[in-house]
Amino acid sequence: MVLKDFYKVLSEEKTTDSKYSITILVNEKHEIFKGHFPGNPIMPGVCMIQIIKELTEKITESTLMIQTLANVKFMALINPENNPELRLELDITTTEDNLVKVKNTTYFNETVALKLSNVYKKLEL
């Protein structure tokens, strides 16, 4: 985890061969929210992208590097004080050339907060 104590996984469910539903709890007291933004905390988009990467790494048991981001759509602001619990739906497929393709939709309650598609390259360590 790049940001220590930023979130914790509450539940993880594999819903089909390639689909996962993961619920996380964002630490609303984390230092990052003091600067983004004071008195009105908002989840930084780059943090959501990092969370998706970390969850995908755990699921694929691989170290990944972002190759492409596409269709990144922030649909609603995530205020961790009002909505600390997020549900991420991930559709993960691995190609023969060691690429991992992810389609994500992130929700708080029933509100869609983020949609994105990205491709990672598996790193050999």
Side-chain angles (χ1 to χ4, degrees):
M1 189 179 295
V2 171
L3 293 172
K4 187 173 169 57
D5 299 323
F6 188 63
Y7 69 96
K8 68 179 175 181
V9 175
L10 297 178
S11 68
E12 180 180 326
E13 178 185 3
K14 186 173 185 176
T15 57
T16 69
D17 281 345
S18 65
K19 294 184 180 181
Y20 298 81
S21 180
I22 302 168
T23 302
I24 65 169
L25 183 67
V26 176
N27 176 4
E28 65 187 72
K29 303 291 185 208
H30 195 274
E31 286 288 314
I32 203 154
F33 295 117
K34 291 181 181 172
H36 199 269
F37 294 96
N40 186 26
I42 306 253
M43 171 71 79
V46 69
C47 292
M48 284 305 308
I49 293 168
Q50 180 65 28
I51 290 168
I52 293 163
K53 178 181 176 277
E54 290 174 2
L55 294 174
T56 304
E57 286 178 326
K58 182 178 177 214
I59 289 166
T60 62
E61 298 178 342
S62 304
T63 301
L64 303 172
M65 179 177 70
I66 294 175
Q67 186 144 6
T68 60
L69 285 169
N71 301 322
V72 180
K73 296 178 183 165
F74 294 96
M75 317 275 286
L77 296 175
I78 300 170
N79 180 324
E81 291 176 350
N82 299 333
N83 298 293
E85 193 172 295
L86 304 175
R87 185 176 84 253
L88 293 89
E89 292 182 358
L90 303 173
D91 187 349
I92 302 171
T93 54
T94 303
T95 66
E96 292 177 11
D97 52 352
N98 269 345
L99 296 179
V100 178
K101 296 181 179 183
V102 179
K103 291 182 182 174
N104 164 262
T105 305
T106 300
Y107 301 85
F108 57 85
N109 303 317
E110 296 305 313
T111 301
V112 176
L114 168 66
K115 285 185 170 194
L116 74 82
S117 298
N118 55 5
V119 177
Y120 301 100
K121 182 176 182 176
K122 286 187 178 183
L123 299 178
E124 304 295 326
L125 299 178

